[in-house]
Amino acid sequence: HGTLSIEEYGAKAIARQRETFKRAGRVVAISNNTARSVVRLFPECEEKLRVVYNGFRFNEIEAKAHGESGIVAKAHDIVSVGHLDGNKDPLAILDAFELILVRHPDARLFFAGDGPLRRALEIEIVQRELTECVFVLGFVDNPYPLIKQSSCLLSLSHTEGFQSVLVEGLYLGVPFVSSRCGSAEELSGAGRFGAVVDSVDEVPSAYERMTGKRAAVGYSGEMSSFVRKYDISGFAESFERVLMEVLGL
């Protein structure tokens, strides 16, 4: 789960993980990116490695998305969903939004999440005089109405395994801009449904590319169809196949 590296986990932890993998019948990764990181560190595990994506209950997501967000939607509303910590880097998201704001003065940014950096984020918003267009909502029990009415999801995490919120957004017809980590490249559909960036400076152009496509007839439906393969039924079937392999059936 996530991207493995000696720098992040340390040599001792990696050594323990190697011993664990030796005893395992199969090693399951939640994305191709995670699988590649496993092979880089543990090439001896490549033959026993399988990718099983997270499963989603899309019918439930669709039902919840019909609720009320309590926010009147505008054309350039951007949403960031996640824990407000150093890895999710909400301050980088704020930096990126300021660049978008130069091109789109009517843009607004909504943070749906809580965490240790919330206070620092709120202070930055005040100091940068962004209180009229950046809103920290805290934990939102049902973020789907807010996601569905937004123009784009924005994620600038440093590391990720499989970004569930990007799948949920795509299912609801909302493209994304993400840092290059986790499953972002896989979910981007080769750039059709999401943009992957390597720096904050790239975000405004990426945002315009993604939102510019939304007017195309059938685009939202394409996004929804693209992520249907992650339905919970497919997850169950994939995991069952791995168990059958381990049991030799």
Side-chain angles (χ1 to χ4, degrees):
H1 189 288
T3 302
L4 299 178
S5 69
I6 293 177
E7 293 77 16
E8 183 175 358
Y9 290 94
K12 289 184 178 179
I14 294 296
R16 289 195 296 271
Q17 188 69 72
R18 174 171 279 107
E19 291 303 312
T20 300
F21 283 167
K22 283 181 181 178
R23 294 191 294 270
R26 291 291 183 273
V27 176
V28 177
I30 63 171
S31 71
N32 286 331
N33 185 65
T34 298
R36 286 192 294 269
S37 72
V38 171
V39 172
R40 280 196 299 270
L41 287 175
F42 313 104
E44 68 276 12
C45 291
E46 186 169 9
E47 289 188 5
K48 64 170 71 175
L49 185 63
R50 302 290 183 271
V51 175
V52 177
Y53 296 105
N54 289 340
F56 295 81
R57 300 182 187 277
F58 289 124
N59 290 341
E60 293 180 10
I61 292 171
E62 179 66 35
K64 290 180 179 180
H66 288 301
E68 294 293 330
S69 70
I71 296 168
V72 177
K74 292 187 177 181
H76 292 288
D77 284 352
I78 301 165
V79 174
S80 174
V81 181
H83 197 54
L84 302 179
D85 59 18
N87 181 56
K88 299 291 186 183
D89 208 347
L91 297 179
I93 291 174
L94 192 63
D95 291 340
F97 175 73
E98 281 195 291
L99 297 178
I100 293 172
L101 204 58
V102 172
R103 303 187 186 190
H104 302 281
D106 61 334
R108 299 189 300 179
L109 173 62
F110 296 88
F111 286 97
D114 211 336
L117 288 184
R118 177 171 181 170
R119 182 58 181 156
L121 176 61
E122 290 173 331
I123 290 171
E124 281 291 319
I125 292 168
V126 172
Q127 291 180 341
R128 301 187 195 192
E129 300 181 347
L130 297 172
T131 54
E132 296 298 313
C133 56
V134 180
F135 307 92
V136 182
L137 306 178
F139 174 76
V140 178
D141 185 56
N142 178 15
Y144 301 121
L146 178 64
I147 293 172
K148 187 172 184 177
Q149 72 183 44
S150 69
S151 66
C152 187
L153 283 171
L154 180 55
S155 173
L156 295 177
S157 299
H158 295 286
T159 63
E160 289 284 358
F162 189 90
Q163 293 103 305
S164 295
V165 69
L166 302 185
V167 175
E168 293 163 346
L170 291 175
Y171 179 74
L172 295 174
V174 179
F176 67 82
V177 175
S178 171
S179 52
R180 192 178 301 279
C181 68
S183 57
E185 288 185 271
E186 295 172 59
L187 295 175
S188 74
R192 177 152 179 77
F193 307 124
V196 178
V197 299
D198 294 303
S199 71
V200 167
D201 291 339
E202 295 177 11
V203 171
S205 294
Y207 169 74
E208 290 181 340
R209 287 199 308 276
M210 290 300 101
T211 55
K213 295 179 179 182
R214 294 200 70 187
V217 175
Y219 182 62
S220 293
E222 281 186 53
M223 280 189 275
S224 182
S225 297
F226 177 68
V227 295
R228 271 287 183 184
K229 59 189 173 186
Y230 303 117
D231 188 81
I232 190 68
S233 59
F235 168 81
E237 291 172 4
S238 296
F239 222 97
E240 184 178 6
R241 284 196 296 272
V242 173
L243 289 175
M244 297 290 277
E245 288 180 13
V246 172
L247 296 173
L249 300 176

